[in-house]
Amino acid sequence: MSPAHSLAVHLDTINVEVMIPTQLLDATSISDIAIAKEILRRGGLVAVPTETVYGLAANAMNPSAVKAIFAAKERPSDHPLIVHIAGPDKLVDWAIDIPPLAYQLAARFWPGPLTLLLRKRPQVPTEVTAGLDTIGLRVPANPVLLALLTELGFGVAAPSANPYKRLSPTSAEQVFTQMSGRIDAVLDGGDCEVGLESTILDLTGPKLRILRAGPITASEIAQCTGLPVSQPMQHDIVVPGNVAEHYQPHTPLHLGTREQIMEAIEAKGRRIACLFYAAAPNTSETAKIITMPKEKALFAQCLYKTLYSLDDLGLDAIWLEYPPSSEQWCDVNDRLSRAAATPRTSLQPTSLNAF
Ligand code: TXA
Ligand code: MG
């Protein structure tokens, strides 16, 4: 039995009772890649690099391996998982009634940060999709994971490799710090290139609909398909995991204008970090000042990394200046509004965070 299976899983009151030794594997080592494959083949959990964020992978056709993902993350069992596949030719293994549009989008955006929501094949374990009759599928662009998927011959279910509601990790170190003791291995493939989670596009309804904003924008999808694409500004019940408070650092995060942040600095008395967009004012003696990149791709790439590093400082608050609100920044603004959302009471570190 795999160590991950020795976890006590109670899907309604999720409970992890046993600590397991977590191996840190190097994606440039042939022998370490072989170990990662072996763990996944026997139904274990391996955190893997993707181009967006690190994912917590398990064989998507193995129900007990999939259940172990929920236990390790303390994720509610009604939040469906995305399945990562080796190429568009594998869509038929997971989905039915696949519209030609899916292949058109796959040809343009895969491998890449676009998850397509399709009708699920009945043979796919219900644990993966939390009982829904739809399934999210994507071909990741990270070469290490792509090669792994091709060699394994099966798809892996992989949510972001963080405890429930926390920031998605963009480095192996961040995964290890949070998940060590709960999973079999972390495969270190370096920092994630994109830094934010994939766009989720629903192809099951009468109209194209983005369920989660991501690096691929509505305009890019409209341009590729010649069809209108809707993007609800409110989080939607069809994405159970898309809750208002999510992607949160432990330190309270506030969004503000430059003037509001300057006021917070002048108020003194509290240990704060201030992240300014594009250019920061002169350094302050009372606050830690950081300049965030002007360009969207660079901003996204370092956002979670910056929040993770500030979280280690035990500050009273982090202030972040609003970035632009244009369509290109939709995913950044979506994540920021959730990261800064309240209440945060349910988000105090649990005993598991001590691992
Ligand atoms: O970039 C990404 O998408 C990363 C990497 C690892 O691939 N994965 C990721 O997974 O962000 P996760 O589980 O953290 O977020 C997936 C989101 C959740 O909000 C979930 O509810 C939604 O996708 N989702 C998955 N399958 C779904 C389905 N069948 N119907 C509706 N929403 C679904
Ligand atoms: Mg996540």
Side-chain angles (χ1 to χ4, degrees):
M1 184 165 74
S2 112
H5 294 161
S6 66
L7 298 174
V9 182
H10 311 288
L11 283 179
D12 291 321
T13 51
I14 287 171
N15 212 339
V16 182
E17 286 170 1
V18 184
M19 269 186 71
I20 56 176
T22 301
Q23 297 186 64
L24 188 53
L25 304 172
D26 177 355
T28 62
S29 149
I30 294 171
S31 58
D32 279 9
I33 292 281
I35 294 171
K37 280 196 283 197
E38 177 49 29
I39 295 170
L40 289 167
R41 282 201 184 102
R42 67 171 159 76
L45 301 184
V46 182
V48 293
T50 88
E51 79 280 30
T52 59
V53 300
Y54 270 74
L56 183 53
N59 180 349
M61 287 307 282
N62 178 336
S64 57
V66 173
K67 280 183 191 169
I69 292 179
F70 286 89
K73 274 182 67 94
E74 295 187 84
R75 180 179 172 114
S77 56
D78 64 349
H79 289 192
L81 306 176
I82 292 172
V83 175
H84 299 68
I85 55 176
D89 56 317
K90 303 284 186 225
L91 279 174
V92 289
D93 296 344
W94 303 90
I96 51 172
D97 304 335
I98 304 169
L101 260 183
Y103 291 101
Q104 198 179 330
L105 287 158
R108 167 76 178 77
F109 296 112
W110 281 356
L114 178 68
T115 297
L116 298 179
L117 201 72
L118 294 164
R119 294 259 158 243
K120 164 187 168 301
R121 260 182 94 92
Q123 293 85 343
V124 178
T126 56
E127 287 82 0
V128 173
T129 60
L132 298 175
D133 65 355
T134 56
I135 183 165
L137 294 157
R138 87 176 185 98
V139 177
N142 181 289
V144 171
L145 178 56
L146 207 47
L148 209 61
L149 289 169
T150 306
E151 288 159 28
L152 283 169
F154 56 77
V156 299
S160 51
N162 50 282
Y164 181 52
K165 286 197 174 181
R166 287 295 171 197
L167 288 175
S168 300
T170 56
S171 75
E173 190 192 345
Q174 290 158 11
V175 180
F176 197 83
T177 307
Q178 300 184 91
M179 302 302 281
S180 177
R182 305 183 186 199
I183 64 179
D184 296 290
V186 181
L187 182 60
D188 185 354
D191 284 1
C192 301
E193 218 182 303
V194 176
L196 283 188
E197 305 80 359
S198 63
T199 305
I200 302 181
L201 180 68
D202 184 2
L203 296 184
T204 66
K207 290 194 175 138
L208 296 185
R209 186 167 57 143
I210 289 181
L211 302 182
R212 179 176 70 184
I216 311 270
T217 64
S219 300
E220 286 177 287
I221 293 166
Q223 199 174 26
C224 168
T225 59
L227 296 169
V229 181
S230 76
Q231 178 157 280
M233 291 317 284
Q234 295 299 317
H235 66 277
D236 197 319
I237 193 70
V238 290
V239 187
N242 219 9
V243 292
E245 314 103 51
H246 204 152
Y247 312 107
Q248 300 211 326
H250 291 288
T251 316
L253 174 71
H254 305 292
L255 308 179
T257 60
R258 187 161 283 234
E259 292 68 35
Q260 287 169 324
I261 299 176
M262 293 311 291
E263 276 172 31
I265 294 175
E266 279 153 26
K268 299 189 177 144
R270 281 163 64 78
R271 297 182 61 231
I272 59 173
C274 300
L275 281 54
F276 288 95
Y277 172 66
N282 290 337
T283 46
S284 152
E285 281 171 17
T286 52
K288 183 172 174 61
I289 306 286
I290 292 175
T291 306
M292 293 297 284
K294 186 169 186 200
E295 199 197 315
K296 150 72 206 301
L298 297 178
F299 189 111
Q301 195 180 53
C302 74
L303 176 62
Y304 291 157
K305 200 182 175 101
T306 306
L307 294 176
Y308 263 112
S309 63
L310 291 174
D311 238 2
D312 291 340
L313 304 180
L315 300 169
D316 296 315
I318 301 169
W319 280 86
L320 193 148
E321 184 181 6
Y322 290 114
S325 54
S326 61
E327 190 203 20
Q328 203 203 1
W329 289 79
C330 216
D331 53 351
V332 168
N333 284 306
D334 168 74
R335 303 308 185 274
L336 286 178
S337 67
R338 292 171 208 275
T342 51
R344 303 170 54 88
T345 43
S346 57
L347 295 165
Q348 294 311 309
T350 64
S351 56
L352 286 166
N353 293 108
F355 282 2

